Amino acid sequence: MFQNLQAEMARRNLTGRDLAKMLGITEVTMYNKMNGLREWKLKEMEQIKGIMETEEPFDYLFKR
């Protein structure tokens, strides 16, 4: 659902499982967030932006 986030993950060879571990959440929670079934927390969004090492704004990564 979050195509830009998925593209950035692919560029860095990160899976949902990898990112879930880095964020300290379960794979199920990650799946639910990636599919828009649960909302991202600001802290998670900040962590992801740091992991991706991107200057893109949040709305780029988390655009639905």
Side-chain angles (χ1 to χ4, degrees):
M1 176 163 247
F2 295 93
Q3 294 176 342
N4 293 336
L5 176 55
Q6 289 175 333
E8 293 296 328
M9 288 169 63
R11 284 187 192 100
R12 289 159 180 79
N13 295 318
L14 291 173
T15 65
R17 176 181 288 175
D18 297 331
L19 198 53
K21 281 184 180 181
M22 292 176 179
L23 296 174
I25 61 176
T26 67
E27 289 178 51
V28 172
T29 299
M30 183 65 169
Y31 174 86
N32 288 336
K33 288 177 184 275
M34 291 295 291
N35 287 291
L37 301 173
R38 291 190 65 185
E39 295 293 321
W40 292 102
K41 295 178 183 174
L42 180 58
K43 181 181 175 183
E44 294 166 339
M45 294 168 68
E46 290 171 340
Q47 287 177 293
I48 290 171
K49 189 170 167 145
I51 291 166
M52 298 300 162
E53 299 177 338
T54 182
E55 294 298 318
E56 297 292 343
F58 288 120
D59 59 345
Y60 167 77
L61 287 174
F62 298 97
K63 180 181 176 184
R64 290 185 184 195

